Amino acid sequence: QVQLVQSGAEVKKPGASVKVSCKASGYTFSTYAMHWVRQAPGQRLEWMGWINAGNGNTKYSQKFQGRVTITRDTSASTAYMELSSLRSEDTAVYYCARDYEPLRLGLSNALDIWGQGTMVTVSS
Amino acid sequence: SYELTQPPSVSVSPGQTARITCSGDALPKQYAYWYQQKPGQAPVLVIYKDSERPSGIPERFSGSSSGTTVTLTISGVQAEDEADYYCQSTDTIGTYEVFGGGTKLTIL
């Protein structure tokens, strides 16, 4: 079945970087876009950006521009999200989520398959 | 920055109809999506493109749109529907995605 499996929890110090992976299975990885969304404890979901898994093109939320980098490795069917200059406010669960429509039909922005989430804690 | 506004909470009795609204200036031009999230779990897409239901989502979940407000309707609410519900849409010029603040649905 289609699933996304993310890397394990991370604890980082302020100023450090974190890189979260998201391994896809059950479908052709390069034919869908992958989004990243985060959720701080007790807070709303927050969209960070997406990557065209076929050609590697990306778009980022203005809030994270300059601090976030989303990449992919098609040979490993894996997407990555790296966030730098971490601060305590970045403590959150980070999710990858697949776009609902295949890329050939255009980006839908509906997120139909989600990873299990990766808890990132930023603390000195 | 663009915002989507949801009521913080909605309460209904089992078997009744729950309606959760989401307001945003760009909603007449942009599709809305709805997610159900239970504690400790990842969100689940329940409605896309305002009113379409993904496969596997019960028919009691429906969506509608009118002007700057979209509505998620759950008919014949069941205990298992108790969860947080988030709307999502795109800003006016289609540059970024935004989520609403979430609505906690309580089954009395």
Side-chain angles (χ1 to χ4, degrees):
Chain A
Q1 76 281 20
V2 176
Q3 64 174 350
L4 303 175
V5 178
Q6 298 182 220
S7 49
E10 302 262 14
V11 178
K12 296 292 183 181
K13 293 195 182 302
S17 297
V18 68
K19 190 171 186 176
V20 180
S21 67
C22 170
K23 182 171 178 57
S25 61
Y27 73 97
T28 303
F29 176 74
S30 61
T31 60
Y32 285 81
M34 191 75 77
H35 299 253
W36 287 86
V37 175
R38 78 176 188 180
Q39 188 172 36
Q43 301 300 309
R44 72 176 68 189
L45 299 164
E46 190 170 30
W47 180 78
M48 300 181 72
W50 66 271
I51 187 166
N52 179 323
N55 63 20
N57 287 348
T58 55
K59 178 179 277 190
Y60 302 127
S61 165
Q62 197 167 5
K63 174 174 179 176
F64 300 101
Q65 195 82 38
R67 282 210 304 145
V68 69
T69 305
I70 299 174
T71 57
R72 96 287 190 224
D73 179 347
T74 54
S75 66
S77 297
T78 300
Y80 302 91
M81 186 285 300
E82 183 170 21
L83 188 63
S84 62
S85 302
L86 290 170
R87 34 209 188 230
S88 58
E89 309 90 89
D90 294 317
T91 293
V93 176
Y94 289 77
Y95 294 101
C96 59
R98 195 190 74 169
D99 197 86
Y100 182 76
E101 302 273 28
L103 286 162
R104 61 180 173 83
L105 297 180
L107 196 70
S108 80
N109 292 314
L111 311 178
D112 72 329
I113 305 294
W114 293 65
Q116 82 276 19
T118 297
M119 182 70 212
V120 175
T121 303
V122 182
S123 174
S124 54
Chain B
S1 61
Y2 183 54
E3 292 187 354
L4 297 173
T5 302
Q6 298 180 234
S9 62
V10 168
S11 300
V12 296
S13 299
Q16 290 189 328
T17 296
R19 294 181 179 84
I20 300 172
T21 59
C22 172
S23 300
D25 290 341
L27 289 175
K29 300 179 181 178
Q30 303 289 355
Y31 284 125
Y33 315 95
W34 288 95
Y35 301 87
Q36 175 194 70
Q37 187 180 34
K38 296 182 179 179
Q41 298 183 19
V44 173
L45 179 69
V46 295
I47 294 291
Y48 68 101
K49 290 185 179 179
D50 293 345
S51 59
E52 299 294 320
R53 195 173 51 249
S55 61
I57 300 302
E59 290 184 8
R60 64 180 182 274
F61 288 87
S62 64
S64 61
S65 176
S66 178
T68 59
T69 299
V70 293
T71 302
L72 172 68
T73 300
I74 310 172
S75 305
V77 161
Q78 301 180 6
E80 67 198 51
D81 299 330
E82 186 164 281
D84 292 328
Y85 291 84
Y86 292 91
C87 62
Q88 174 213 337
S89 188
T90 313
D91 74 304
T92 307
I93 54 176
T95 57
Y96 61 91
E97 296 301 298
V98 175
F99 288 90
T103 298
K104 181 174 181 58
L105 176 64
T106 300
I107 312 303
L108 299 172

